[in-house]
Amino acid sequence: VLLLVSMWIRLRLHESPTFLKMIAEGKGSKRPLREAFGEWKNHKVVLLALFGLTMGQAVVWYTGQCYALFFLEKTLKVDGALTNILVAAALLLGTPFFLLFGWLSDKIGRKPIILAGCLLAAATYFPVFKALTGAVNPALAVAQASAPVKVSAFRPDCHFQFDPVGKASFTAPCDVATSNLAKAGVPYEIVPQPAVIVFIDEAGGGRVVPPAPPPTIVSVGQVRLAPAPSGGAKDPGRVAWEKSLAGALKTAGYPAKADPARINYPLTIGLLLLLVLYVTMVYGPIAAMLVEMFPTRIRYSAMSLPYHVGNGWFGGFLPTTAFAIAAATGNIYAGLWYPVIIAGVTVVIGALFLKETKGRSLDD
C-alpha cells in the first residue's frame, strides 16, 4: 500500500528544471550505472560520499532515534509505551532544527555542519547514555554498585552473538548466561577460566582424553548460582536456570522494570533531545550535499548507492551489532563503540578529502 501511495505521489511530481533541460539538449547518460561506477573519476566520489558522509550520518541518525529507543526499552527496562512517548517528545522538540541546520548550511556550508554533528556525537555518546541511565533507572546503578555480577567462563565458549535476522541459536552455557544478563539490562564482568589440560589415558592404550570445558558460573554479589546449562530457549533445564537467575537479580535489587515514579522526565527528554539535535545536524544538509556532489547526467544513480548502503547497512545493523558487543563484553554501553568509531572515521575522511559543495551549480 505504501509503495502504491509513493508511486502515485511521485507520478504527480514534475521533474526538476535542470533534468528537463538536460533531456531537451540530449545530454542524458545512456548508461548511468556504468558511468557512475565504472569510471574512476565518478566512482571515487561515490566512495567518498559513502565513507566521508553518509556512513557517519547513518549511525548518528540510528543512534539518536532507533538505538535510543532500543536502549530505553530493552536495556533500561522502561515501559514500551512510555519509551515511545519520551522519544516522540524529543523528536517533536527537535524537528524544527532540521530546518535550522538546512538553512544554516546554505549560509556557512554543508561540510562543517555534518562533520560537526558526527564529531559531537562521537565525543559525547558515552556520557550522554550514562546520564540517561541515571535519569531513567537509578536503581540499576545502585544495584550494580552493591551487587556486581560476574560470569566465570571458558572464553572460547563465549560467542559473539551477532544475529541480524533472528535465526541464530546460541546454546553454549556462556552464551545462555550472557544473553540473559544482556537482555535484562544487567552489566557484568566476564572472568575467564583457564583451559582444561588435555591428558593421555595410558590405561586406554595412549588414548587422548578430550578436555571438558569448565562450568559457567554466574555470581550476583555474594550469591553463586548453579552452573549455567546449555540448550535451546525451551529446554527445561535452561528455563529453570533462567528463573533462578531472575530471582537472584531481584533479591540483589536489580529492577525488572524502570520505576516511572523515579524517572527524571525533564533530564531524560533533554538528553534525548540532545541526541536528536545531532541527528538534525547530519541530516538537515545531507540531501543538498549529495545532490551537489554529482553531475546531473548520473546524479540519481550515483547518489543512491552511498545513501542507501550507508543508511541500510551501516545504520541498519547498529542495534543488533551494539547488542552483540554488549553481550560479549558485559558492558551495557560498549555497543556505543560501533557508532563512535564509524562517526569518527567519517569525520577524518570527510575533513581530509571531502570538498565543500555549497554554491556549486546543479547544471553541470
Side-chain angles (χ1 to χ4, degrees):
V1 172
L2 288 175
L3 177 60
L4 293 175
V5 172
S6 300
M7 291 177 63
W8 177 77
I9 293 174
R10 180 64 187 88
L11 291 172
R12 291 176 62 88
L13 294 175
H14 296 291
E15 297 290 356
S16 68
T18 300
F19 181 83
L20 293 175
K21 178 183 176 183
M22 178 191 69
I23 296 300
E25 295 175 352
K27 296 180 179 179
S29 175
K30 304 211 180 288
R31 296 177 177 177
L33 292 177
R34 176 176 295 183
E35 189 174 340
F37 308 118
E39 297 181 11
W40 175 241
K41 66 175 183 178
N42 295 321
H43 188 59
K44 68 179 180 181
V45 180
V46 170
L47 294 177
L48 184 58
L50 173 59
F51 296 110
L53 193 62
T54 62
M55 182 176 72
Q57 167 261 312
V59 296
V60 172
W61 190 91
Y62 269 82
T63 303
Q65 296 188 24
C66 300
Y67 187 66
L69 190 146
F70 174 90
F71 187 79
L72 285 173
E73 184 175 359
K74 302 300 182 182
T75 302
L76 300 184
K77 301 303 177 183
V78 180
D79 177 73
L82 180 57
T83 295
N84 285 317
I85 292 173
L86 292 171
V87 173
L91 275 173
L92 183 63
L93 293 172
T95 295
F97 289 89
F98 286 102
L99 301 177
L100 172 64
F101 287 114
W103 169 82
L104 189 61
S105 75
D106 288 336
K107 303 299 181 182
I108 67 173
R110 330 294 189 195
K111 175 179 172 177
I113 296 176
I114 294 174
L115 296 188
C118 289
L119 182 60
L120 287 171
T124 62
Y125 272 160
F126 281 101
V128 168
F129 275 83
K130 289 179 180 178
L132 200 57
T133 300
V136 170
N137 197 343
L140 179 61
V142 173
Q144 182 183 3
S146 60
V149 176
K150 295 184 179 181
V151 179
S152 299
F154 185 46
R155 251 311 189 172
D157 285 345
C158 302
H159 301 99
F160 189 68
Q161 300 181 45
F162 181 71
D163 184 21
V165 296
K167 297 296 183 181
S169 179
F170 300 98
T171 59
C174 181
D175 296 336
V176 171
T178 56
S179 64
N180 273 275
L181 290 168
K183 290 175 182 177
V186 176
Y188 53 91
E189 176 189 357
I190 298 180
V191 181
Q193 289 194 30
V196 178
I197 298 175
V198 180
F199 65 93
I200 298 176
D201 182 8
E202 295 181 356
R207 179 173 60 91
V208 176
V209 179
T216 296
I217 304 296
V218 175
S219 300
V220 182
Q222 301 301 315
V223 177
R224 287 170 56 90
L225 276 69
S230 59
K234 297 182 179 180
D235 183 83
R238 176 172 174 173
V239 172
W241 184 87
E242 289 174 347
K243 289 182 178 179
S244 68
L245 173 63
L249 293 173
K250 182 178 180 180
T251 301
Y254 283 92
K257 291 286 185 182
D259 184 359
R262 298 189 64 186
I263 296 176
N264 185 334
Y265 289 96
L267 179 57
T268 299
I269 294 177
L271 292 168
L272 292 174
L273 175 59
L274 180 59
L275 296 176
V276 172
L277 291 182
Y278 298 154
V279 175
T280 63
M281 291 181 71
V282 300
Y283 208 78
I286 192 75
M289 189 161 191
L290 285 173
V291 166
E292 293 163 346
M293 288 182 73
F294 300 99
T296 305
R297 56 189 289 111
I298 60 168
R299 180 169 292 144
Y300 187 80
S301 300
M303 66 179 284
S304 293
L305 185 137
Y307 180 79
H308 292 294
V309 170
N311 284 273
W313 288 84
F314 287 99
F317 279 131
L318 192 151
T320 187
T321 303
F323 173 81
I325 295 173
T329 61
N331 185 338
I332 61 175
Y333 307 108
L336 293 170
W337 280 114
Y338 177 82
V340 164
I341 291 173
I342 297 297
V345 170
T346 290
V347 170
V348 173
I349 295 176
L352 292 177
F353 304 108
L354 200 64
K355 295 180 180 180
E356 179 56 59
T357 63
K358 182 182 77 72
R360 183 177 295 178
S361 173
L362 298 182
D363 294 328
D364 295 339

